[in-house]
Amino acid sequence: MLSSIAWVGRCLSYIVLKEVKIVGEKINAILINEVDDVATAIADFQKGDVGTFDRNGEIIKVVLIESVPKFHKFAVTDIADHEPVRKYGEVIGVSTQKIHKGSHVHEHNIASPVYDNDVNKG
Amino acid sequence: MKFYGYRRTDGRIGIRNHVLILPTVGCASETCRIIAGLVNGAVSLVNQNGCGEVEGNRKLTQDVLVGLAANPNVYGTILVGLGCEPNCVDDMAAIIKTKTNKPLESVVIQEEGGTVNTICKVVKLAQNMLLGATSCHLEEFDLSELMLGIECGGSDATSGLVSNPVMGCVSDKIIDQGGTSMFSETPEIIGAEHILARRSSTPEVGQKILDICVELEDNLKKVNESLRSGQPSPGNKAGGITTLEEKSLGCIHKGGTKPVVEVVECAHQPSKKGLIFMNTPGYDLLSVTAKVAAGCQLIVFSTGRGNPIGNPIAPVLKVTANHDTFVKMNDNMDMDLSAVLDGEKTMEEMGELVLEEIINVSRGKKTKTEIHNFGYSETVIRRMCDYV
C-alpha cells in the first residue's frame, strides 16, 4: 500500500507547476498536504508580507505577522497550546504555546511530540 | 536502459576499476596512503581500527574492510598489515576469499622490514595488478545489476521538499528495471518508521523496521542519552527543520514508493533486489562507507546546505534543490534540482535527469568528488558503543 507521504512527494511539483504556470498567482510558499498546519516559505518574508500557496487547487493567502526566513515554516491556521502540528500530513511536533496564524513556527513554539524530559541536553 | 561497467571474476559489475591498497590496521594506514599516491589507479583509505578492539568491534571492522575489498568497483586488493595486530592479513585474506575470487595480495610491514621496503614491494604488486585492471573494458549491463546507495546529509527544508523525493523517483525507476536501491540512517527514520513499516514487503520486514528504531532509542536511554539531543543538527535547524520527526518525514522520501524488501545490518550485502534499508547510524561518513561495503557502486548524496564528502571506492554524486548552495559550493555539487522548486520541471522529469547522470558517471564521467584528484578517503566504521 502506498503511503500518503510518498504520494505527496510525487504531487508536489505538480502543485508548484499548476500555480505558477496556469493560475498565474505568485506562489511563494508550499503546503505539502491539505491537513498541514504549516507551510514552507520559499522566499524570505518580512512582517506584513503575504504567503501564497495552493491547497487542493485553491490559492490561499496568509499575512505573516512576523518575519520568516526562506525555507522555514509559518502557521496557516491558529494552533492552540499543546496541540499536534502537522506537515507532510503527519505530526512533526506539539505546540508549546498558542501559535497565531501567520507566525514563524520553529523551536521556540513547537517541540518533538515524544515526551523526552528524562534527559535535558542540547 | 543500460549502464556501463566492468564484469569482475566473481560475476559482479563495477563502474570503477580501482586497485585497493587496504590497511588492515591503523598502523598501516599512512603507508597505504603513500603507496596509493605513487600508483595511478590505486586508491587507499584511512582505517583507524584493527587493533585495540574487542572481538565484537573486530568483527564490525572486518565486515566493512572485507566489503570494501569485495565491492565490484575494486579490480583487486593488496592488504597491508603491520604484523602484530589482531586483525591480521591472513584472517582478512581468508574472509575476503569467502566473498570473492578477485586478485588479492598481502604484505606485512614488520616482515618486509619497514615502511620503505613495504612501499617498494607494494608499488610493484600494484603496478602488475593495474596492468590487469586496465585490460578490462566497459560493457553495457541491465540496471538489474546496479545497486544505488542513497544518502542525505546537511539537510535543510529543500531536502524533504524536493531533493529527497527526486531521489525517491530515481530509486523507483531503478527498481522498476529490476535493480536495487539502498537507503539507511536509522535515527533519520524515527518519527516516520510507521510509514516505512506499512510499506514493507512482509510483516516481518515491517516489524524489523520498528524494532531497530526501538533498539536505537533504548540503547541511548541505557546511558542516559537522548537521540533528540543531537538531532536535528544546528545546520538542519538553521535550514528550517525543527524536530527529528520533521527531518525523518523528509528523509524517508529518498526511499521512493516501493516496498522495503529487506532490512540488512550495517555493511552487510543484501540477499534480495529492490528497496533495501540498512540499519546504520545517521553519521554520513559511516553510512556512506557501510553502503559501499555492502556493494553499492554509486552513492547519490542529497543535500540542502552542502557537503564535501567523497569515498575512495564509489563516486558520490551530490544533488541539491537549494540553488544558493549549488552556486556557493559549486566545487562540491554535481546537480542543481531547484528547477523543481521553481515549477520549471516535475519530480519525474528531474528524476530522469538524475538517472541519466548516473548512467553518464558509470560510463566514466567524473563526479566532483573525483575530478580534483583530492583523494577523498573518508571511512568510518561503526563501533559496539556506537556513533549515532
Side-chain angles (χ1 to χ4, degrees):
Chain A
M1 190 179 74
L2 298 185
S3 69
S4 60
I5 188 165
W7 179 85
V8 166
R10 290 309 191 77
C11 291
L12 184 57
S13 61
Y14 172 69
I15 292 167
V16 175
L17 254 182
K18 183 171 56 178
E19 291 171 356
V20 171
K21 292 189 175 169
I22 299 174
V23 179
E25 285 278 357
K26 178 65 181 168
I27 292 301
N28 54 19
I30 293 175
L31 186 87
I32 299 178
N33 189 296
E34 60 182 305
V35 306
D36 289 354
D37 304 301
V38 293
T40 302
I42 54 175
D44 280 313
F45 288 127
Q46 303 303 318
K47 180 179 178 181
D49 286 349
V50 178
T52 307
F53 55 90
D54 175 291
R55 179 161 57 203
N56 269 348
E58 183 188 357
I59 298 300
I60 308 285
K61 293 177 183 292
V62 171
V63 177
L64 278 298
I65 61 172
E66 58 189 343
S67 63
V68 177
K70 190 175 179 181
F71 302 138
H72 284 231
K73 298 176 289 293
F74 60 90
V76 300
T77 181
D78 288 331
I79 304 167
D81 193 8
H82 292 101
E83 284 296 315
V85 177
R86 288 186 172 75
K87 176 183 170 186
Y88 298 108
E90 300 278 339
V91 176
I92 61 163
V94 175
S95 55
T96 55
Q97 55 183 257
K98 179 170 170 50
I99 302 172
H100 294 283
K101 182 175 175 179
S103 305
H104 184 206
V105 175
H106 205 18
E107 288 181 279
H108 61 288
N109 53 14
I110 72 168
S112 171
V114 175
Y115 184 68
D116 203 26
N117 206 28
D118 52 339
V119 285
N120 189 21
K121 296 190 171 71
Chain B
M1 188 175 268
K2 305 273 189 183
F3 78 108
Y4 297 80
Y6 304 92
R7 185 180 288 284
R8 300 299 173 206
T9 50
D10 59 9
R12 294 166 72 186
I13 312 302
I15 66 166
R16 291 292 182 267
N17 204 23
H18 303 302
V19 165
L20 176 61
I21 317 295
L22 184 61
T24 62
V25 63
C27 310
S29 276
E30 282 298 281
T31 305
C32 291
R33 178 184 62 80
I34 295 162
I35 294 162
L38 294 170
V39 185
N40 190 17
V43 294
S44 184
L45 53 87
V46 178
N47 167 25
Q48 296 183 326
N49 306 118
C51 193
E53 55 189 2
V54 294
E55 192 176 343
N57 277 336
R58 185 157 73 246
K59 174 76 171 58
L60 294 171
T61 301
Q62 289 171 342
D63 282 348
V64 169
L65 297 182
V66 167
L68 294 176
N71 184 293
N73 288 356
V74 172
Y75 169 82
T77 299
I78 304 173
L79 295 170
V80 181
L82 176 59
C84 48
E85 67 275 19
N87 187 37
C88 62
V89 293
D90 289 346
D91 285 357
M92 282 284 295
I95 305 169
I96 290 171
K97 283 175 183 166
T98 67
K99 308 274 185 193
T100 179
N101 61 356
K102 294 187 297 189
L104 182 65
E105 300 280 357
S106 300
V107 177
V108 176
I109 295 172
Q110 287 168 350
E111 289 175 12
E112 293 306 317
T115 303
V116 174
N117 284 350
T118 302
I119 291 170
C120 289
K121 180 162 184 180
V122 178
V123 166
K124 288 175 187 170
L125 289 170
Q127 77 181 21
N128 286 337
M129 210 175 262
L130 271 155
L131 290 176
T134 51
S135 300
C136 300
H137 58 277
L138 282 174
E139 299 172 68
E140 277 188 357
F141 295 98
D142 291 336
L143 287 184
S144 59
E145 302 277 5
L146 187 65
M147 194 195 296
L148 177 71
I150 303 183
E151 181 73 22
C152 67
S155 297
D156 68 12
T158 65
S159 303
L161 283 174
V162 175
S163 55
N164 288 342
V166 169
M167 290 310 98
C169 289
V170 175
S171 173
D172 285 357
K173 288 173 196 296
I174 289 172
I175 292 167
D176 280 339
Q177 300 208 31
T180 299
S181 154
M182 179 184 287
F183 67 128
S184 61
E185 305 180 273
T186 307
E188 297 172 14
I189 65 169
I190 286 181
E193 70 270 34
H194 58 292
I195 297 169
L196 288 180
R198 281 203 305 263
R199 223 176 70 205
S200 297
S201 62
T202 67
E204 290 74 22
V205 172
Q207 190 59 48
K208 177 78 177 165
I209 290 172
L210 300 177
D211 289 347
I212 60 176
C213 292
V214 171
E215 180 185 44
L216 172 62
E217 298 231 56
D218 283 352
N219 284 345
L220 286 167
K221 276 184 195 150
K222 284 177 196 162
V223 290
N224 199 30
E225 289 288 349
S226 162
L227 186 56
R228 286 163 187 78
S229 69
Q231 289 272 15
S233 72
N236 296 151
K237 290 177 181 174
I241 297 170
T242 307
T243 62
L244 176 63
E245 289 70 20
E246 180 185 7
K247 180 174 176 176
S248 294
L249 288 161
C251 283
I252 66 161
H253 277 72
K254 61 188 189 287
T257 63
K258 301 295 178 186
V260 180
V261 295
E262 189 175 8
V263 177
V264 293
E265 283 307 318
C266 188
H268 286 207
Q269 196 180 330
S271 65
K272 293 186 167 73
K273 294 192 173 188
L275 183 62
I276 309 291
F277 185 79
M278 180 183 278
N279 181 18
T280 72
Y283 186 23
D284 296 330
L285 299 179
L286 191 157
S287 56
V288 167
T289 302
K291 287 194 283 276
V292 177
C296 291
Q297 299 109 319
L298 185 139
I299 304 292
V300 180
F301 192 117
S302 147
T303 184
R305 300 180 66 80
N307 192 308
I309 77 167
N311 182 269
I313 291 168
V316 180
L317 186 77
K318 301 270 174 48
V319 302
T320 182
N322 185 327
H323 179 70
D324 296 342
T325 295
F326 183 79
V327 172
K328 192 173 179 184
M329 290 187 59
N330 191 261
D331 59 314
N332 300 113
M333 294 294 121
D334 293 285
M335 295 187 76
D336 181 359
L337 313 186
S338 63
V340 177
L341 203 57
D342 297 337
E344 292 161 9
K345 282 198 164 40
T346 65
M347 297 274 181
E348 293 285 340
E349 288 166 348
M350 194 57 88
E352 281 293 334
L353 290 179
V354 175
L355 187 55
E356 279 173 25
E357 191 67 358
I358 288 170
I359 306 296
N360 289 338
V361 170
S362 78
R363 198 188 276 128
K365 181 175 180 182
K366 289 188 173 182
T367 60
K368 293 277 177 70
T369 57
E370 300 172 296
I371 207 157
H372 301 294
N373 281 334
F374 289 161
Y376 288 106
S377 64
E378 294 94 329
T379 305
V380 174
I381 300 175
R382 87 179 302 175
R383 304 284 81 190
M384 295 183 75
C385 298
D386 210 359
Y387 296 91
V388 180

